[in-house]
Amino acid sequence: ADLLRAKIRRETGRLTEARDLFAKVMKAEPRNEDAVQGLAHVYSTLHQDEVAIPLWRKLCDLRPKDAYAWRELALAQVRTKDSLGAMTSLQRSLELDPGQQDLQLLLADVARPDFETAPAPKRTPAKTWPSTRSASARMERAWPPRAATAKCG
């Protein structure tokens, strides 16, 4: 019940409440993958990557073949200018899902010698969080149905 409430709070932008609920679930179930991912996502959204990174690492330990977890760890590492960690995580995500062209470009940026001294990116590329929000966004783009906009008679 707390996990579902946490997800709903996250989806509706009530991040502080979501954070507290995800943390409560993690305290009771430290290896609950959904709670770890949810809490990491909340901290990343709040631009608290120093707190999010250990959570993303934990998710990568729980799901070593999850390209999304490695991707999110890499993006948090990029934002904190951890070039070595970011390169490792980017490479792992790309091994698991080679079609991520945005990560291939980001890997080239991270590999530049001046990466750690260059200004931090405001927000790095990110896949849409797997949620009902992405489903509703698809529906909004498809609305109104073509049949409804066709001229009658």
mmCIF file of all heavy atoms in Angstrom, residues 48-98:
data_model
loop_
_atom_site.group_PDB
_atom_site.id
_atom_site.type_symbol
_atom_site.label_atom_id
_atom_site.label_comp_id
_atom_site.label_asym_id
_atom_site.label_seq_id
_atom_site.Cartn_x
_atom_site.Cartn_y
_atom_site.Cartn_z
ATOM 1 N N GLN A 48 19.283 16.091 -6.282
ATOM 2 C CA GLN A 48 20.115 15.655 -5.159
ATOM 3 C C GLN A 48 20.852 14.384 -5.578
ATOM 4 O O GLN A 48 20.689 13.315 -4.993
ATOM 5 C CB GLN A 48 19.252 15.433 -3.919
ATOM 6 C CG GLN A 48 18.607 16.711 -3.410
ATOM 7 C CD GLN A 48 17.731 16.469 -2.192
ATOM 8 O OE1 GLN A 48 17.787 15.435 -1.555
ATOM 9 N NE2 GLN A 48 16.905 17.451 -1.884
ATOM 10 N N ASP A 49 21.687 14.551 -6.605
ATOM 11 C CA ASP A 49 22.354 13.400 -7.195
ATOM 12 C C ASP A 49 23.334 12.719 -6.243
ATOM 13 O O ASP A 49 23.553 11.516 -6.346
ATOM 14 C CB ASP A 49 23.063 13.808 -8.487
ATOM 15 C CG ASP A 49 22.074 14.142 -9.579
ATOM 16 O OD1 ASP A 49 21.201 13.302 -9.866
ATOM 17 O OD2 ASP A 49 22.143 15.250 -10.131
ATOM 18 N N GLU A 50 23.914 13.461 -5.316
ATOM 19 C CA GLU A 50 24.829 12.845 -4.356
ATOM 20 C C GLU A 50 24.097 11.806 -3.504
ATOM 21 O O GLU A 50 24.687 10.822 -3.074
ATOM 22 C CB GLU A 50 25.469 13.910 -3.447
ATOM 23 C CG GLU A 50 26.357 14.909 -4.173
ATOM 24 C CD GLU A 50 25.573 16.004 -4.904
ATOM 25 O OE1 GLU A 50 24.363 16.187 -4.650
ATOM 26 O OE2 GLU A 50 26.180 16.662 -5.764
ATOM 27 N N VAL A 51 22.821 12.035 -3.257
ATOM 28 C CA VAL A 51 22.008 11.078 -2.501
ATOM 29 C C VAL A 51 21.479 9.987 -3.434
ATOM 30 O O VAL A 51 21.366 8.821 -3.045
ATOM 31 C CB VAL A 51 20.834 11.796 -1.789
ATOM 32 C CG1 VAL A 51 20.000 10.821 -0.974
ATOM 33 C CG2 VAL A 51 21.353 12.923 -0.907
ATOM 34 N N ALA A 52 21.180 10.350 -4.661
ATOM 35 C CA ALA A 52 20.610 9.398 -5.621
ATOM 36 C C ALA A 52 21.626 8.357 -6.082
ATOM 37 O O ALA A 52 21.261 7.198 -6.301
ATOM 38 C CB ALA A 52 20.043 10.143 -6.827
ATOM 39 N N ILE A 53 22.881 8.751 -6.224
ATOM 40 C CA ILE A 53 23.887 7.842 -6.798
ATOM 41 C C ILE A 53 23.997 6.524 -6.032
ATOM 42 O O ILE A 53 23.963 5.449 -6.651
ATOM 43 C CB ILE A 53 25.244 8.556 -6.955
ATOM 44 C CG1 ILE A 53 25.150 9.533 -8.131
ATOM 45 C CG2 ILE A 53 26.386 7.557 -7.161
ATOM 46 C CD1 ILE A 53 26.348 10.442 -8.305
ATOM 47 N N PRO A 54 24.106 6.518 -4.690
ATOM 48 C CA PRO A 54 24.173 5.220 -4.005
ATOM 49 C C PRO A 54 22.909 4.366 -4.217
ATOM 50 O O PRO A 54 22.992 3.138 -4.256
ATOM 51 C CB PRO A 54 24.327 5.593 -2.523
ATOM 52 C CG PRO A 54 24.800 6.998 -2.509
ATOM 53 C CD PRO A 54 24.306 7.631 -3.768
ATOM 54 N N LEU A 55 21.776 5.025 -4.387
ATOM 55 C CA LEU A 55 20.537 4.283 -4.647
ATOM 56 C C LEU A 55 20.551 3.682 -6.048
ATOM 57 O O LEU A 55 20.147 2.533 -6.248
ATOM 58 C CB LEU A 55 19.328 5.195 -4.444
ATOM 59 C CG LEU A 55 19.122 5.658 -3.003
ATOM 60 C CD1 LEU A 55 18.161 6.838 -2.949
ATOM 61 C CD2 LEU A 55 18.636 4.505 -2.140
ATOM 62 N N TRP A 56 21.005 4.459 -7.040
ATOM 63 C CA TRP A 56 21.116 3.907 -8.391
ATOM 64 C C TRP A 56 22.110 2.751 -8.406
ATOM 65 O O TRP A 56 21.894 1.735 -9.075
ATOM 66 C CB TRP A 56 21.523 4.977 -9.405
ATOM 67 C CG TRP A 56 20.445 5.973 -9.713
ATOM 68 C CD1 TRP A 56 20.500 7.328 -9.546
ATOM 69 C CD2 TRP A 56 19.144 5.709 -10.255
ATOM 70 N NE1 TRP A 56 19.310 7.904 -9.942
ATOM 71 C CE2 TRP A 56 18.469 6.946 -10.376
ATOM 72 C CE3 TRP A 56 18.477 4.546 -10.636
ATOM 73 C CZ2 TRP A 56 17.167 7.038 -10.877
ATOM 74 C CZ3 TRP A 56 17.184 4.646 -11.133
ATOM 75 C CH2 TRP A 56 16.543 5.889 -11.247
ATOM 76 N N ARG A 57 23.221 2.889 -7.655
ATOM 77 C CA ARG A 57 24.198 1.780 -7.573
ATOM 78 C C ARG A 57 23.547 0.535 -6.974
ATOM 79 O O ARG A 57 23.784 -0.584 -7.442
ATOM 80 C CB ARG A 57 25.392 2.192 -6.712
ATOM 81 C CG ARG A 57 26.400 3.007 -7.443
ATOM 82 C CD ARG A 57 27.712 3.095 -6.667
ATOM 83 N NE ARG A 57 28.601 3.992 -7.361
ATOM 84 C CZ ARG A 57 29.001 5.167 -6.882
ATOM 85 N NH1 ARG A 57 28.619 5.567 -5.688
ATOM 86 N NH2 ARG A 57 29.808 5.923 -7.594
ATOM 87 N N LYS A 58 22.764 0.741 -5.934
ATOM 88 C CA LYS A 58 22.084 -0.390 -5.306
ATOM 89 C C LYS A 58 21.140 -1.059 -6.301
ATOM 90 O O LYS A 58 21.071 -2.286 -6.383
ATOM 91 C CB LYS A 58 21.310 0.073 -4.070
ATOM 92 C CG LYS A 58 20.623 -1.044 -3.333
ATOM 93 C CD LYS A 58 20.005 -0.564 -2.034
ATOM 94 C CE LYS A 58 19.405 -1.723 -1.272
ATOM 95 N NZ LYS A 58 19.027 -1.345 0.089
ATOM 96 N N LEU A 59 20.418 -0.243 -7.088
ATOM 97 C CA LEU A 59 19.523 -0.810 -8.091
ATOM 98 C C LEU A 59 20.322 -1.594 -9.136
ATOM 99 O O LEU A 59 19.891 -2.660 -9.575
ATOM 100 C CB LEU A 59 18.677 0.284 -8.751
ATOM 101 C CG LEU A 59 17.589 -0.229 -9.682
ATOM 102 C CD1 LEU A 59 16.549 -1.058 -8.920
ATOM 103 C CD2 LEU A 59 16.907 0.929 -10.396
ATOM 104 N N CYS A 60 21.487 -1.081 -9.521
ATOM 105 C CA CYS A 60 22.334 -1.803 -10.479
ATOM 106 C C CYS A 60 22.813 -3.126 -9.894
ATOM 107 O O CYS A 60 22.946 -4.116 -10.618
ATOM 108 C CB CYS A 60 23.521 -0.934 -10.902
ATOM 109 S SG CYS A 60 23.056 0.461 -11.939
ATOM 110 N N ASP A 61 23.068 -3.154 -8.581
ATOM 111 C CA ASP A 61 23.433 -4.414 -7.931
ATOM 112 C C ASP A 61 22.257 -5.390 -7.932
ATOM 113 O O ASP A 61 22.442 -6.593 -8.126
ATOM 114 C CB ASP A 61 23.878 -4.168 -6.487
ATOM 115 C CG ASP A 61 25.222 -3.465 -6.388
ATOM 116 O OD1 ASP A 61 25.971 -3.452 -7.388
ATOM 117 O OD2 ASP A 61 25.513 -2.916 -5.312
ATOM 118 N N LEU A 62 21.055 -4.858 -7.709
ATOM 119 C CA LEU A 62 19.864 -5.701 -7.696
ATOM 120 C C LEU A 62 19.457 -6.149 -9.099
ATOM 121 O O LEU A 62 18.901 -7.234 -9.275
ATOM 122 C CB LEU A 62 18.694 -4.954 -7.037
ATOM 123 C CG LEU A 62 18.848 -4.641 -5.551
ATOM 124 C CD1 LEU A 62 17.739 -3.687 -5.089
ATOM 125 C CD2 LEU A 62 18.837 -5.918 -4.726
ATOM 126 N N ARG A 63 19.705 -5.291 -10.082
ATOM 127 C CA ARG A 63 19.323 -5.576 -11.477
ATOM 128 C C ARG A 63 20.526 -5.340 -12.392
ATOM 129 O O ARG A 63 20.556 -4.387 -13.175
ATOM 130 C CB ARG A 63 18.212 -4.641 -11.928
ATOM 131 C CG ARG A 63 16.918 -4.759 -11.192
ATOM 132 C CD ARG A 63 15.934 -3.765 -11.799
ATOM 133 N NE ARG A 63 14.716 -3.673 -11.055
ATOM 134 C CZ ARG A 63 13.852 -2.679 -11.180
ATOM 135 N NH1 ARG A 63 14.091 -1.685 -12.016
ATOM 136 N NH2 ARG A 63 12.751 -2.655 -10.468
ATOM 137 N N PRO A 64 21.530 -6.206 -12.344
ATOM 138 C CA PRO A 64 22.764 -5.955 -13.105
ATOM 139 C C PRO A 64 22.578 -5.910 -14.629
ATOM 140 O O PRO A 64 23.418 -5.353 -15.331
ATOM 141 C CB PRO A 64 23.689 -7.097 -12.692
ATOM 142 C CG PRO A 64 22.804 -8.127 -12.089
ATOM 143 C CD PRO A 64 21.588 -7.431 -11.571
ATOM 144 N N LYS A 65 21.471 -6.437 -15.130
ATOM 145 C CA LYS A 65 21.242 -6.444 -16.583
ATOM 146 C C LYS A 65 20.181 -5.432 -17.003
ATOM 147 O O LYS A 65 19.627 -5.530 -18.085
ATOM 148 C CB LYS A 65 20.858 -7.843 -17.044
ATOM 149 C CG LYS A 65 22.008 -8.819 -16.865
ATOM 150 C CD LYS A 65 21.694 -10.167 -17.427
ATOM 151 C CE LYS A 65 22.914 -11.060 -17.222
ATOM 152 N NZ LYS A 65 22.772 -12.350 -17.842
ATOM 153 N N ASP A 66 19.942 -4.434 -16.172
ATOM 154 C CA ASP A 66 18.931 -3.412 -16.444
ATOM 155 C C ASP A 66 19.611 -2.164 -17.012
ATOM 156 O O ASP A 66 20.228 -1.389 -16.280
ATOM 157 C CB ASP A 66 18.182 -3.076 -15.154
ATOM 158 C CG ASP A 66 17.047 -2.088 -15.348
ATOM 159 O OD1 ASP A 66 16.971 -1.438 -16.418
ATOM 160 O OD2 ASP A 66 16.242 -1.949 -14.420
ATOM 161 N N ALA A 67 19.507 -1.982 -18.313
ATOM 162 C CA ALA A 67 20.154 -0.844 -18.973
ATOM 163 C C ALA A 67 19.643 0.483 -18.422
ATOM 164 O O ALA A 67 20.398 1.453 -18.311
ATOM 165 C CB ALA A 67 19.927 -0.911 -20.486
ATOM 166 N N TYR A 68 18.352 0.530 -18.071
ATOM 167 C CA TYR A 68 17.771 1.767 -17.529
ATOM 168 C C TYR A 68 18.442 2.157 -16.215
ATOM 169 O O TYR A 68 18.764 3.322 -15.994
ATOM 170 C CB TYR A 68 16.262 1.604 -17.321
ATOM 171 C CG TYR A 68 15.623 2.808 -16.682
ATOM 172 C CD1 TYR A 68 15.280 3.926 -17.448
ATOM 173 C CD2 TYR A 68 15.379 2.849 -15.313
ATOM 174 C CE1 TYR A 68 14.704 5.039 -16.860
ATOM 175 C CE2 TYR A 68 14.801 3.960 -14.719
ATOM 176 C CZ TYR A 68 14.468 5.052 -15.497
ATOM 177 O OH TYR A 68 13.909 6.160 -14.914
ATOM 178 N N ALA A 69 18.675 1.204 -15.320
ATOM 179 C CA ALA A 69 19.324 1.496 -14.035
ATOM 180 C C ALA A 69 20.735 2.025 -14.258
ATOM 181 O O ALA A 69 21.146 3.024 -13.641
ATOM 182 C CB ALA A 69 19.349 0.243 -13.165
ATOM 183 N N TRP A 70 21.480 1.383 -15.148
ATOM 184 C CA TRP A 70 22.845 1.840 -15.448
ATOM 185 C C TRP A 70 22.822 3.216 -16.092
ATOM 186 O O TRP A 70 23.679 4.059 -15.823
ATOM 187 C CB TRP A 70 23.560 0.830 -16.343
ATOM 188 C CG TRP A 70 23.947 -0.405 -15.607
ATOM 189 C CD1 TRP A 70 23.308 -1.608 -15.623
ATOM 190 C CD2 TRP A 70 25.048 -0.553 -14.703
ATOM 191 N NE1 TRP A 70 23.954 -2.496 -14.790
ATOM 192 C CE2 TRP A 70 25.019 -1.881 -14.217
ATOM 193 C CE3 TRP A 70 26.057 0.308 -14.269
ATOM 194 C CZ2 TRP A 70 25.967 -2.363 -13.320
ATOM 195 C CZ3 TRP A 70 27.004 -0.178 -13.369
ATOM 196 C CH2 TRP A 70 26.956 -1.490 -12.903
ATOM 197 N N ARG A 71 21.850 3.456 -16.947
ATOM 198 C CA ARG A 71 21.712 4.756 -17.603
ATOM 199 C C ARG A 71 21.481 5.860 -16.572
ATOM 200 O O ARG A 71 22.133 6.896 -16.593
ATOM 201 C CB ARG A 71 20.535 4.699 -18.587
ATOM 202 C CG ARG A 71 20.181 6.013 -19.235
ATOM 203 C CD ARG A 71 18.841 5.902 -19.982
ATOM 204 N NE ARG A 71 18.539 7.124 -20.645
ATOM 205 C CZ ARG A 71 18.938 7.444 -21.871
ATOM 206 N NH1 ARG A 71 19.649 6.604 -22.577
ATOM 207 N NH2 ARG A 71 18.625 8.599 -22.404
ATOM 208 N N GLU A 72 20.538 5.622 -15.668
ATOM 209 C CA GLU A 72 20.231 6.643 -14.663
ATOM 210 C C GLU A 72 21.402 6.874 -13.717
ATOM 211 O O GLU A 72 21.653 8.010 -13.311
ATOM 212 C CB GLU A 72 18.963 6.264 -13.900
ATOM 213 C CG GLU A 72 17.713 6.358 -14.753
ATOM 214 C CD GLU A 72 17.476 7.743 -15.337
ATOM 215 O OE1 GLU A 72 17.608 8.743 -14.615
ATOM 216 O OE2 GLU A 72 17.159 7.828 -16.537
ATOM 217 N N LEU A 73 22.127 5.812 -13.363
ATOM 218 C CA LEU A 73 23.337 5.979 -12.555
ATOM 219 C C LEU A 73 24.337 6.851 -13.309
ATOM 220 O O LEU A 73 24.904 7.800 -12.752
ATOM 221 C CB LEU A 73 23.952 4.619 -12.215
ATOM 222 C CG LEU A 73 25.327 4.662 -11.541
ATOM 223 C CD1 LEU A 73 25.279 5.443 -10.228
ATOM 224 C CD2 LEU A 73 25.855 3.239 -11.322
ATOM 225 N N ALA A 74 24.526 6.557 -14.591
ATOM 226 C CA ALA A 74 25.467 7.335 -15.402
ATOM 227 C C ALA A 74 25.062 8.806 -15.480
ATOM 228 O O ALA A 74 25.905 9.695 -15.351
ATOM 229 C CB ALA A 74 25.558 6.740 -16.813
ATOM 230 N N LEU A 75 23.786 9.064 -15.679
ATOM 231 C CA LEU A 75 23.328 10.451 -15.796
ATOM 232 C C LEU A 75 23.549 11.220 -14.497
ATOM 233 O O LEU A 75 23.964 12.387 -14.513
ATOM 234 C CB LEU A 75 21.862 10.491 -16.211
ATOM 235 C CG LEU A 75 21.561 9.917 -17.604
ATOM 236 C CD1 LEU A 75 20.065 9.911 -17.863
ATOM 237 C CD2 LEU A 75 22.309 10.671 -18.685
ATOM 238 N N ALA A 76 23.314 10.576 -13.365
ATOM 239 C CA ALA A 76 23.578 11.226 -12.079
ATOM 240 C C ALA A 76 25.074 11.466 -11.908
ATOM 241 O O ALA A 76 25.497 12.524 -11.411
ATOM 242 C CB ALA A 76 23.029 10.372 -10.939
ATOM 243 N N GLN A 77 25.887 10.523 -12.341
ATOM 244 C CA GLN A 77 27.336 10.690 -12.250
ATOM 245 C C GLN A 77 27.821 11.813 -13.165
ATOM 246 O O GLN A 77 28.727 12.564 -12.804
ATOM 247 C CB GLN A 77 28.038 9.373 -12.585
ATOM 248 C CG GLN A 77 27.826 8.321 -11.521
ATOM 249 C CD GLN A 77 28.242 6.936 -11.967
ATOM 250 O OE1 GLN A 77 28.041 6.532 -13.119
ATOM 251 N NE2 GLN A 77 28.824 6.173 -11.044
ATOM 252 N N VAL A 78 27.221 11.948 -14.330
ATOM 253 C CA VAL A 78 27.574 13.052 -15.233
ATOM 254 C C VAL A 78 27.267 14.380 -14.562
ATOM 255 O O VAL A 78 28.079 15.303 -14.580
ATOM 256 C CB VAL A 78 26.811 12.925 -16.577
ATOM 257 C CG1 VAL A 78 26.861 14.219 -17.368
ATOM 258 C CG2 VAL A 78 27.372 11.766 -17.393
ATOM 259 N N ARG A 79 26.099 14.476 -13.944
ATOM 260 C CA ARG A 79 25.712 15.743 -13.310
ATOM 261 C C ARG A 79 26.615 16.102 -12.131
ATOM 262 O O ARG A 79 26.763 17.279 -11.809
ATOM 263 C CB ARG A 79 24.243 15.699 -12.881
ATOM 264 C CG ARG A 79 23.283 15.720 -14.078
ATOM 265 C CD ARG A 79 21.834 15.860 -13.649
ATOM 266 N NE ARG A 79 21.340 14.754 -12.865
ATOM 267 C CZ ARG A 79 20.742 13.673 -13.364
ATOM 268 N NH1 ARG A 79 20.579 13.545 -14.669
ATOM 269 N NH2 ARG A 79 20.308 12.720 -12.556
ATOM 270 N N THR A 80 27.226 15.103 -11.500
ATOM 271 C CA THR A 80 28.142 15.385 -10.395
ATOM 272 C C THR A 80 29.598 15.418 -10.864
ATOM 273 O O THR A 80 30.502 15.501 -10.033
ATOM 274 C CB THR A 80 27.991 14.344 -9.261
ATOM 275 O OG1 THR A 80 28.279 13.052 -9.768
ATOM 276 C CG2 THR A 80 26.604 14.413 -8.643
ATOM 277 N N LYS A 81 29.807 15.333 -12.178
ATOM 278 C CA LYS A 81 31.137 15.427 -12.787
ATOM 279 C C LYS A 81 32.055 14.269 -12.416
ATOM 280 O O LYS A 81 33.269 14.413 -12.374
ATOM 281 C CB LYS A 81 31.813 16.758 -12.435
ATOM 282 C CG LYS A 81 31.021 17.981 -12.818
ATOM 283 C CD LYS A 81 30.750 17.987 -14.287
ATOM 284 C CE LYS A 81 31.396 19.189 -14.940
ATOM 285 N NZ LYS A 81 31.387 19.112 -16.358
ATOM 286 N N ASP A 82 31.481 13.106 -12.143
ATOM 287 C CA ASP A 82 32.264 11.899 -11.871
ATOM 288 C C ASP A 82 32.527 11.216 -13.207
ATOM 289 O O ASP A 82 31.805 10.309 -13.610
ATOM 290 C CB ASP A 82 31.493 10.984 -10.915
ATOM 291 C CG ASP A 82 32.174 9.641 -10.682
ATOM 292 O OD1 ASP A 82 33.318 9.439 -11.148
ATOM 293 O OD2 ASP A 82 31.552 8.780 -10.033
ATOM 294 N N SER A 83 33.570 11.653 -13.904
ATOM 295 C CA SER A 83 33.790 11.174 -15.267
ATOM 296 C C SER A 83 34.127 9.687 -15.314
ATOM 297 O O SER A 83 33.603 8.970 -16.169
ATOM 298 C CB SER A 83 34.881 11.987 -15.962
ATOM 299 O OG SER A 83 36.104 11.893 -15.260
ATOM 300 N N LEU A 84 34.946 9.198 -14.409
ATOM 301 C CA LEU A 84 35.300 7.782 -14.427
ATOM 302 C C LEU A 84 34.080 6.903 -14.153
ATOM 303 O O LEU A 84 33.815 5.937 -14.864
ATOM 304 C CB LEU A 84 36.406 7.489 -13.406
ATOM 305 C CG LEU A 84 36.926 6.064 -13.387
ATOM 306 C CD1 LEU A 84 37.456 5.653 -14.756
ATOM 307 C CD2 LEU A 84 38.016 5.921 -12.337
ATOM 308 N N GLY A 85 33.316 7.260 -13.121
ATOM 309 C CA GLY A 85 32.099 6.503 -12.823
ATOM 310 C C GLY A 85 31.102 6.582 -13.959
ATOM 311 O O GLY A 85 30.488 5.575 -14.336
ATOM 312 N N ALA A 86 30.932 7.782 -14.529
ATOM 313 C CA ALA A 86 29.984 7.965 -15.625
ATOM 314 C C ALA A 86 30.385 7.143 -16.850
ATOM 315 O O ALA A 86 29.530 6.504 -17.478
ATOM 316 C CB ALA A 86 29.871 9.441 -15.991
ATOM 317 N N MET A 87 31.670 7.142 -17.174
ATOM 318 C CA MET A 87 32.119 6.366 -18.342
ATOM 319 C C MET A 87 31.836 4.879 -18.135
ATOM 320 O O MET A 87 31.344 4.203 -19.041
ATOM 321 C CB MET A 87 33.601 6.613 -18.605
ATOM 322 C CG MET A 87 33.867 7.980 -19.210
ATOM 323 S SD MET A 87 35.613 8.340 -19.454
ATOM 324 C CE MET A 87 36.080 7.068 -20.594
ATOM 325 N N THR A 88 32.114 4.379 -16.944
ATOM 326 C CA THR A 88 31.878 2.962 -16.651
ATOM 327 C C THR A 88 30.388 2.630 -16.762
ATOM 328 O O THR A 88 30.005 1.642 -17.391
ATOM 329 C CB THR A 88 32.396 2.626 -15.236
ATOM 330 O OG1 THR A 88 33.787 2.953 -15.178
ATOM 331 C CG2 THR A 88 32.197 1.168 -14.905
ATOM 332 N N SER A 89 29.553 3.470 -16.163
ATOM 333 C CA SER A 89 28.108 3.215 -16.184
ATOM 334 C C SER A 89 27.529 3.390 -17.578
ATOM 335 O O SER A 89 26.647 2.620 -17.991
ATOM 336 C CB SER A 89 27.401 4.138 -15.183
ATOM 337 O OG SER A 89 27.899 3.915 -13.885
ATOM 338 N N LEU A 90 27.992 4.396 -18.303
ATOM 339 C CA LEU A 90 27.527 4.598 -19.679
ATOM 340 C C LEU A 90 27.872 3.387 -20.539
ATOM 341 O O LEU A 90 27.028 2.899 -21.304
ATOM 342 C CB LEU A 90 28.151 5.861 -20.281
ATOM 343 C CG LEU A 90 27.602 7.189 -19.792
ATOM 344 C CD1 LEU A 90 28.525 8.340 -20.186
ATOM 345 C CD2 LEU A 90 26.205 7.436 -20.316
ATOM 346 N N GLN A 91 29.110 2.910 -20.410
ATOM 347 C CA GLN A 91 29.524 1.753 -21.200
ATOM 348 C C GLN A 91 28.684 0.523 -20.862
ATOM 349 O O GLN A 91 28.277 -0.222 -21.760
ATOM 350 C CB GLN A 91 31.010 1.465 -20.988
ATOM 351 C CG GLN A 91 31.895 2.509 -21.630
ATOM 352 C CD GLN A 91 33.355 2.387 -21.227
ATOM 353 O OE1 GLN A 91 33.694 1.784 -20.214
ATOM 354 N NE2 GLN A 91 34.221 2.985 -22.027
ATOM 355 N N ARG A 92 28.396 0.323 -19.580
ATOM 356 C CA ARG A 92 27.590 -0.833 -19.175
ATOM 357 C C ARG A 92 26.170 -0.721 -19.740
ATOM 358 O O ARG A 92 25.619 -1.697 -20.258
ATOM 359 C CB ARG A 92 27.546 -0.945 -17.645
ATOM 360 C CG ARG A 92 26.771 -2.124 -17.150
ATOM 361 C CD ARG A 92 27.452 -3.439 -17.496
ATOM 362 N NE ARG A 92 26.638 -4.546 -16.982
ATOM 363 C CZ ARG A 92 26.335 -5.621 -17.675
ATOM 364 N NH1 ARG A 92 26.801 -5.791 -18.889
ATOM 365 N NH2 ARG A 92 25.590 -6.562 -17.144
ATOM 366 N N SER A 93 25.579 0.463 -19.669
ATOM 367 C CA SER A 93 24.240 0.653 -20.205
ATOM 368 C C SER A 93 24.231 0.404 -21.717
ATOM 369 O O SER A 93 23.314 -0.231 -22.242
ATOM 370 C CB SER A 93 23.725 2.057 -19.890
ATOM 371 O OG SER A 93 22.391 2.200 -20.324
ATOM 372 N N LEU A 94 25.255 0.887 -22.392
ATOM 373 C CA LEU A 94 25.336 0.693 -23.841
ATOM 374 C C LEU A 94 25.585 -0.768 -24.211
ATOM 375 O O LEU A 94 25.116 -1.227 -25.254
ATOM 376 C CB LEU A 94 26.416 1.600 -24.437
ATOM 377 C CG LEU A 94 26.026 3.069 -24.520
ATOM 378 C CD1 LEU A 94 27.243 3.951 -24.773
ATOM 379 C CD2 LEU A 94 24.961 3.289 -25.582
ATOM 380 N N GLU A 95 26.321 -1.500 -23.380
ATOM 381 C CA GLU A 95 26.494 -2.940 -23.626
ATOM 382 C C GLU A 95 25.143 -3.652 -23.584
ATOM 383 O O GLU A 95 24.879 -4.541 -24.380
ATOM 384 C CB GLU A 95 27.396 -3.561 -22.553
ATOM 385 C CG GLU A 95 28.858 -3.240 -22.685
ATOM 386 C CD GLU A 95 29.656 -3.714 -21.459
ATOM 387 O OE1 GLU A 95 29.127 -4.518 -20.652
ATOM 388 O OE2 GLU A 95 30.801 -3.268 -21.318
ATOM 389 N N LEU A 96 24.319 -3.235 -22.635
ATOM 390 C CA LEU A 96 23.018 -3.876 -22.455
ATOM 391 C C LEU A 96 21.987 -3.421 -23.483
ATOM 392 O O LEU A 96 21.078 -4.171 -23.836
ATOM 393 C CB LEU A 96 22.496 -3.603 -21.039
ATOM 394 C CG LEU A 96 23.335 -4.225 -19.923
ATOM 395 C CD1 LEU A 96 22.948 -3.637 -18.568
ATOM 396 C CD2 LEU A 96 23.191 -5.739 -19.925
ATOM 397 N N ASP A 97 22.109 -2.186 -23.947
ATOM 398 C CA ASP A 97 21.165 -1.620 -24.918
ATOM 399 C C ASP A 97 21.934 -0.697 -25.867
ATOM 400 O O ASP A 97 22.003 0.503 -25.663
ATOM 401 C CB ASP A 97 20.066 -0.840 -24.192
ATOM 402 C CG ASP A 97 19.026 -0.253 -25.138
ATOM 403 O OD1 ASP A 97 19.091 -0.516 -26.364
ATOM 404 O OD2 ASP A 97 18.131 0.466 -24.655
ATOM 405 N N PRO A 98 22.544 -1.274 -26.914
ATOM 406 C CA PRO A 98 23.405 -0.494 -27.804
ATOM 407 C C PRO A 98 22.684 0.591 -28.610
ATOM 408 O O PRO A 98 23.326 1.468 -29.171
ATOM 409 C CB PRO A 98 23.993 -1.542 -28.760
ATOM 410 C CG PRO A 98 23.638 -2.868 -28.215
ATOM 411 C CD PRO A 98 22.518 -2.684 -27.249
#
